[in-house]
Amino acid sequence: MNTYTMRNLKPLLFFFFSMVISVQAQKDPKVGLVLSGGGAKGIAHVGVLKEIERSGVRIDYIGGTSMGAIVGGLYACGYTASQLEEMLATTNLSDIINDKFDLDFMSFDAKEDASRYAITLPIVKGRIQFPMSLSKGQNVYNMFVQLMYEQRNTHDFSTLPIPFYCVATDINTGEKTVLDKGYLPLAVNASSALPTLFSPVQVEGRMLIDGGIVDNYPIDEMLSKGMDVIIGVDTQTNVSSTDVTSTLSEIVTRIASFQTRKQMAFKNAKTRIYIRPELDDFSILSFDKKKEIMAQGVLAAQKARSQLQGLAKNQEPRDKEQKKIPSSFQLDRLLVGTTPNYRANYLLGKLRLKSKNTYSFQKLKEGMSNLAATQNFDAFRYTLKTENEKEVLKITLPETKHTTLFRGSLHYDKLIGALALVNLTKKHAFLKNDELSLDLMLGAYFQYAFSYFIDKGEFWSIGLSAKQHQFDTSAPVAFNIAPFAFSNPTNTRVLVQKNTLFVQTLFREEVVLGVGLAHQHNVFKTNVFDTQTDRFLYADKADYYSTLGYLKVDTRDDKFYPKKGAFFDGDVNYFFSKKSSLEDNNLTPFLIAKANMGTTLPLDSKYTLMFGTSGGLTVGDAPSSAFDYAFGGYGNAPVLNYQTFIGLPQQYAVGNSFVKAETTVDYEFAPNHHLKMMLNVGIVSDDIFKMGQWKSGIDYYSAGMAYGLQTFAGPLELTAAYSPQFGRLLFHVNIGWQF
């Protein structure tokens, strides 16, 4: 009887104790949170987290993929949902994702390239090759390093304020890689490296890409963590949607989603609280709709509010205070791996960092951006951790194998006309630190720009350049040949070739000082016909030889639409020799000096005020009007001594000296859309400094308004301006980078 009773009581006892344990467990259930990938759609995770916090649910473990890894990783570090929302609101995601670098981070050469070429593609084995990705992800990684700095020494992610893991895809094997140990910024970076958008990320010898390719909802790992309840947020692409995909990244993600979507029926069953925001109206690249996407996350989580609140009632609360975003770091030791072609002094010069100093993360970003902007390296990563009680920055720089580049751009302005620019650049052409470049400008007339430069950074570098410009102008020209002794406007075909041998040095990548020797070949052929000689007259046809010096300073963050910074560009040319087939070669040496400077003052986030002034003079008698300064036109690259002046036609007024001032108010009324209000005043005439004319009054003034659009190919601007000296409204159109 007792045996029978005990035999029957065992199941009852087992059930009783199981219920007791279950009840006890549910008194303080452990909650795991799984965040799927989805690109920009994953911004909805922040909205869901806001509602989870409002409901009082304590999250005990987080797992994520792609954007879910980014949001989950930051939340695991201790940031609140409201802080994540603020980060999104104050960050230009487009600039971060596209690796847009402010010009003030770059060297002078990199600045000129960034404001000259619309596209840059490598040439491999004689063929133009499209890059593996649109972005190397440098800006994204810089951001992760800063935001996750306080957890820099956390190797095991289960010891974070909230334990965390993420998943990535091994690009060589196609297998899922669970990242729960290592350097947190690198792990999150690898998990979110969306194919075609970001370069693969190397982690412990493995090349990893976005985890969503193999597992876009990593719940199985969470099941092994001992969680009682799993909340899942699904922001994946709806493969049943009939919307046409428009980008390669979307196509890749959509293909991967077919497999991961098939698994969701099984994974849903493992999820206690399943939250799926309505995101069919957005794409994985809809980063410009972050507010709307976040709002969908809030709405979806509100539908599960009763479940969330019921869960929170059984949990012990955990206070989650707002943590401060790190703004600076101590650098005790700097370790930079050298490369075959770039030595430590070159790399350190670009970084602008030194050991045993405290730096802001902005300075770290500037140094890394400066290195990346050289395009001498593939995607590179670094660690900032404590080793032997020292704060150590380690950088590994994989030198790019693409040393031959194809570049291109387009431009239009009234002076030069329409031009297509084709460039070939060869790095390490003869030496480890040299660069050979050839621009061919195809338009109404053939033009070119050749350069060879041996870069020694802050030491004296040496270079050789050769340029040719051709265009037509109606600028006034002077003749001293009887019976043509006059100075009047006439149609002139201009050809200018200038060859320069120079040496220069850099100071902190922002100041360039150089000297050199130059040869300038001028051909100014007019439409004035001399019946006695049966030929058209030349206003100038001669070769000139000069010495030169120049100083350039530029701290602007953008050349055309700056929000901060200043610049100075000055040069002096001393002409000492001349050779001509039309007249004698006697030349009285003369000197031409000019300078242009300006500053930018941000008024607020949309308004910017710019001031500029310039001046030039001639010391001695220039033998040709080709050396005159000329006011007029707008939007063209610097040619000869021509000075842009809105409201006046090209080369409307000339003289051997000038002063000019300009003021511009730039209103960015929408991203990349600008409305500019401009005022120009100036004097141009002969010997204005000798005669004191520059003090007596203004000869020319104008006002104008311009609409400008920033594009990857440069600015597109339409300007309407009026000058009383010209007497009617004038429109200026310029398209693309200047060259």
Side-chain angles (χ1 to χ4, degrees):
M1 183 70 177
N2 291 337
T3 303
Y4 175 80
T5 302
M6 290 301 296
R7 186 183 299 120
N8 285 272
L9 284 175
K10 282 182 179 179
L12 293 174
L13 290 170
F14 178 79
F15 177 75
F16 174 78
F17 285 116
S18 297
M19 289 298 295
V20 171
I21 292 171
S22 177
V23 169
Q24 288 177 340
Q26 293 303 313
K27 283 184 178 179
D28 189 19
K30 293 182 178 180
V31 178
L33 177 63
V34 176
L35 304 177
S36 79
K41 297 182 181 184
I43 294 172
H45 292 316
V46 177
V48 173
L49 283 171
K50 289 176 65 178
E51 283 301 308
I52 288 177
E53 286 185 353
R54 288 192 187 107
S55 299
V57 174
R58 185 194 71 228
I59 301 299
D60 298 293
Y61 223 115
I62 302 177
T65 294
S66 194
M67 183 61 82
I70 296 175
V71 174
L74 291 172
Y75 198 72
C77 285
Y79 292 106
T80 64
S82 61
Q83 283 183 296
L84 298 181
E85 181 181 22
E86 184 179 357
M87 291 176 194
L88 284 169
T90 57
T91 301
N92 188 323
L93 295 178
S94 177
D95 287 352
I96 292 288
I97 292 168
N98 292 320
D99 270 352
K100 180 179 179 181
F101 304 121
D102 289 344
L103 292 188
D104 57 341
F105 296 168
M106 301 182 186
S107 66
F108 260 88
D109 292 338
K111 287 177 184 179
E112 292 181 358
D113 288 349
S115 301
R116 187 177 182 87
Y117 303 113
I119 58 170
T120 299
L121 299 172
I123 297 178
V124 180
K125 296 181 179 180
R127 295 183 179 182
I128 296 175
Q129 185 180 84
F130 285 91
M132 183 185 299
S133 61
L134 297 176
S135 170
K136 294 179 181 179
Q138 194 62 50
N139 281 340
V140 172
Y141 187 72
N142 293 339
M143 180 179 66
F144 291 161
V145 170
Q146 178 180 2
L147 296 177
M148 300 174 181
Y149 177 67
E150 288 190 2
Q151 303 301 327
R152 63 193 179 280
N153 299 319
T154 302
H155 179 75
D156 185 346
F157 301 163
S158 67
T159 62
L160 288 167
I162 301 177
F164 171 76
Y165 68 86
C166 59
V167 300
T169 304
D170 190 314
I171 198 173
N172 293 316
T173 65
E175 297 176 348
K176 178 168 67 174
T177 301
V178 179
L179 300 170
D180 55 9
K181 291 181 176 62
Y183 188 56
L184 183 60
L186 195 62
V188 171
N189 192 208
S191 180
S192 57
L194 185 66
T196 74
L197 183 60
F198 294 119
S199 299
V201 177
Q202 186 172 1
V203 180
E204 296 180 355
R206 296 170 296 173
M207 296 302 293
L208 304 181
I209 58 173
D210 195 294
I213 301 299
V214 290
D215 189 352
N216 214 19
Y217 189 81
I219 193 173
D220 293 332
E221 289 74 21
M222 188 63 74
L223 292 171
S224 67
K225 304 299 182 183
M227 297 296 105
D228 300 307
V229 176
I230 295 179
I231 302 172
V233 186
D234 184 2
T235 62
Q236 299 176 78
T237 298
N238 183 2
V239 295
S240 62
S241 171
T242 58
D243 292 342
V244 178
T245 54
S246 58
T247 68
L248 185 57
S249 294
E250 290 176 324
I251 293 172
V252 171
T253 303
R254 195 176 183 89
I255 292 172
S257 295
F258 283 112
Q259 179 63 31
T260 56
R261 267 295 167 201
K262 290 179 181 179
Q263 303 169 358
M264 282 309 299
F266 302 100
K267 293 186 174 185
N268 286 356
K270 304 172 184 177
T271 308
R272 175 78 65 86
I273 302 176
Y274 178 70
I275 300 173
R276 179 170 172 78
E278 295 293 332
L279 300 170
D280 289 344
D281 293 336
F282 307 97
S283 78
I284 64 170
L285 299 178
S286 297
F287 291 100
D288 58 331
K289 303 292 180 58
K290 51 191 176 184
K291 290 183 179 179
E292 295 89 337
I293 294 173
M294 193 185 306
Q296 289 299 319
V298 173
L299 290 174
Q302 287 174 345
K303 295 177 182 178
R305 180 179 293 171
S306 60
Q307 291 175 283
L308 294 172
Q309 289 177 340
L311 179 59
K313 287 179 180 179
N314 296 320
Q315 285 187 301
E316 292 292 332
R318 178 202 295 142
D319 293 332
K320 190 176 178 70
E321 298 180 357
Q322 286 199 353
K323 65 187 272 86
K324 188 176 180 180
I325 297 176
S327 60
S328 62
F329 65 97
Q330 174 66 29
L331 179 58
D332 297 318
R333 199 172 172 204
L334 176 58
L335 301 177
V336 181
T338 58
T339 70
N341 292 299
Y342 301 101
R343 296 183 178 180
N345 62 334
Y346 171 84
L347 302 175
L348 294 173
K350 299 295 182 184
L351 274 174
R352 310 178 194 175
L353 301 175
K354 294 181 180 180
S355 299
K356 299 181 180 180
N357 282 285
T358 299
Y359 291 103
S360 68
F361 277 99
Q362 179 66 19
K363 286 295 182 183
L364 178 65
K365 176 186 174 183
E366 291 176 8
M368 297 302 170
S369 298
N370 197 21
L371 272 175
T374 65
Q375 298 186 346
N376 293 327
F377 310 101
D378 290 329
F380 63 88
R381 299 296 180 258
Y382 55 93
T383 60
L384 187 57
K385 297 193 293 185
T386 305
E387 296 182 6
N388 298 322
E389 300 183 352
K390 300 289 185 181
E391 298 300 317
V392 181
L393 173 61
K394 287 184 180 180
I395 309 173
T396 302
L397 294 164
E399 192 173 319
T400 182
K401 298 177 182 177
H402 302 140
T403 59
T404 305
L405 304 174
F406 168 84
R407 293 168 168 171
S409 198
L410 298 171
H411 178 77
Y412 171 81
D413 66 65
K414 181 67 174 177
L415 177 64
I416 303 296
L419 284 177
L421 171 63
V422 176
N423 169 271
L424 290 176
T425 297
K426 175 63 178 176
K427 298 184 179 184
H428 321 310
F430 306 108
L431 302 172
K432 289 184 176 182
N433 56 339
D434 70 355
E435 181 175 296
L436 190 68
S437 177
L438 176 63
D439 285 342
L440 299 178
M441 291 162 268
L442 310 176
Y445 304 110
F446 175 71
Q447 305 186 65
Y448 65 81
F450 166 85
S451 69
Y452 177 69
F453 187 65
I454 302 173
D455 188 359
K456 294 186 178 181
E458 295 183 359
F459 297 100
W460 284 97
S461 304
I462 186 169
L464 174 68
S465 67
K467 299 179 181 179
Q468 174 176 292
H469 290 289
Q470 287 192 80
F471 54 90
D472 292 327
T473 180
S474 57
V477 296
F479 297 98
N480 294 313
I481 306 172
F484 301 101
F486 66 88
S487 177
N488 278 313
T490 183
N491 292 327
T492 305
R493 174 73 50 80
V494 176
L495 182 148
V496 179
Q497 296 172 334
K498 188 168 184 177
N499 309 305
T500 308
L501 176 66
F502 61 93
V503 293
Q504 69 177 37
T505 186
L506 294 174
F507 302 95
R508 293 185 55 82
E509 302 286 348
E510 296 171 346
V511 181
V512 176
L513 174 66
V515 295
L517 295 170
H519 159 248
Q520 182 170 319
H521 176 65
N522 289 349
V523 179
F524 282 59
K525 183 179 180 181
T526 74
N527 66 348
V528 178
F529 190 76
D530 183 359
T531 56
Q532 296 181 1
T533 60
D534 199 29
R535 63 179 178 86
F536 289 99
L537 293 182
Y538 288 87
D540 191 21
K541 188 177 181 182
D543 293 276
Y544 298 89
Y545 300 88
S546 66
T547 59
L548 60 91
Y550 55 88
L551 175 65
K552 299 180 181 180
V553 182
D554 197 343
T555 62
R556 293 173 296 178
D557 58 348
D558 190 275
K559 184 175 181 180
F560 294 94
Y561 301 104
K563 293 186 179 299
K564 60 181 180 178
F567 75 95
F568 175 88
D569 187 354
D571 62 77
V572 178
N573 286 260
Y574 176 74
F575 293 87
F576 58 84
S577 181
K578 167 190 172 184
K579 290 186 178 180
S580 174
S581 60
L582 298 181
E583 53 191 15
D584 65 73
N585 294 323
N586 293 328
L587 176 72
T588 300
F590 66 99
L591 180 145
I592 290 180
K594 61 181 182 290
N596 183 20
M597 67 188 79
T599 188
T600 303
L601 303 174
L603 302 178
D604 60 21
S605 60
K606 293 185 178 293
Y607 284 93
T608 305
L609 180 62
M610 290 172 275
F611 296 103
T613 185
S614 53
L617 57 86
T618 304
V619 179
D621 295 324
S624 166
S625 58
F627 295 97
D628 280 346
Y629 298 100
F631 278 176
Y634 178 71
N636 54 273
V639 178
L640 294 172
N641 290 323
Y642 297 165
Q643 307 296 316
T644 60
F645 201 103
I646 61 171
L648 296 180
Q650 296 286 348
Q651 294 81 58
Y652 181 78
V654 299
N656 69 6
S657 54
F658 83 99
V659 290
K660 175 191 164 187
E662 53 189 311
T663 301
T664 301
V665 176
D666 180 10
Y667 170 47
E668 188 175 10
F669 60 90
N672 298 320
H673 292 266
H674 296 259
L675 186 64
K676 297 202 300 186
M677 291 149 279
M678 299 177 286
L679 176 67
N680 284 187
V681 297
I683 305 169
V684 59
S685 187
D686 289 340
D687 302 323
I688 64 172
F689 297 103
K690 286 183 180 180
M691 308 299 295
Q693 183 181 351
W694 68 281
K695 299 179 183 178
S696 60
I698 298 171
D699 288 343
Y700 298 93
Y701 50 91
S702 62
M705 182 171 291
Y707 164 74
L709 174 64
Q710 283 179 287
T711 73
F712 76 97
L716 290 95
E717 283 195 348
L718 174 62
T719 305
Y722 177 80
S723 171
Q725 288 72 39
F726 182 57
R728 60 179 184 268
L729 190 66
L730 188 64
F731 291 92
H732 305 282
V733 178
N734 58 287
I735 300 172
W737 300 122
Q738 298 175 359
F739 47 80

